[in-house]
Amino acid sequence: YRCHHHHYHYRYYYHLYTWLSLSGVFCLLPLLPSPTTTTIVVLLLLAHHTYLYIWLGAATTTTTIYFFLLLLLQLYTHVVHPPLLGARLPFLPLLLQSLLCLVGVVVVWWKLLLLLLSSITASVGGSSSG
């Protein structure tokens, strides 16, 4: 039982790492100098996400949906936005990217807070029963 419990926690931590790494890398993409560099980083991140999914089982359905939302945002930023709204709203892609990355960071923060609170509750409950 104990090994299964620890395995669950490691998988959960990998899951949180996946969310946070996706958010962290994608929020830095606007700082890259060219779309070619951005494309290379996105492809490397896709390879990394695939590795996490296949080998570690860390990517869940929600993580994959979040990743594809980030990819769609990159497509919008570099292909759709410039001809449609590029002149009128030049900072809209940056705003959308900041908000989507904020969601990822808040999700991780919330899940870690819940994990901490459940750990505190379990330790308090365990100490009073002993």
Side-chain angles (χ1 to χ4, degrees), residues 73-93:
L73 182 58
Q74 288 303 307
L75 182 68
Y76 171 78
T77 298
H78 295 291
V79 177
V80 177
H81 183 77
L84 291 180
L85 299 170
R88 288 187 18 223
L89 299 169
F91 294 107
L92 181 62

Side-chain angles (χ1 to χ4, degrees), residues 2-127:
R2 188 172 265 240
C3 290
H4 175 70
H5 181 69
H6 287 299
H7 177 69
Y8 169 76
H9 278 298
Y10 288 131
R11 247 181 118 195
Y12 192 72
Y13 293 141
Y14 287 138
H15 169 72
L16 294 178
Y17 164 75
T18 302
W19 269 92
L20 199 55
S21 69
L22 287 173
S23 300
V25 171
F26 270 93
C27 81
L28 294 174
L29 289 181
L31 301 175
L32 296 176
S34 71
T36 305
T37 309
T38 301
T39 304
I40 291 169
V41 170
V42 167
L43 289 174
L44 288 172
L45 194 57
L46 178 61
H48 180 68
H49 185 71
T50 304
Y51 166 78
L52 289 174
Y53 181 75
I54 292 171
W55 293 103
L56 302 177
T60 62
T61 304
T62 55
T63 311
T64 304
I65 290 170
Y66 180 65
F67 181 69
F68 282 112
L69 282 173
L70 290 166
L71 288 177
L72 284 174
L73 182 58
Q74 288 303 307
L75 182 68
Y76 171 78
T77 298
H78 295 291
V79 177
V80 177
H81 183 77
L84 291 180
L85 299 170
R88 288 187 18 223
L89 299 169
F91 294 107
L92 181 62
L94 184 60
L95 173 70
L96 293 174
Q97 191 156 352
S98 296
L99 288 174
L100 196 53
C101 291
L102 171 71
V103 166
V105 171
V106 168
V107 163
V108 171
W109 177 84
W110 182 253
K111 288 183 176 196
L112 283 173
L113 178 66
L114 292 177
L115 187 66
L116 175 68
L117 291 176
S118 68
S119 174
I120 290 172
T121 305
S123 69
V124 168
S127 65

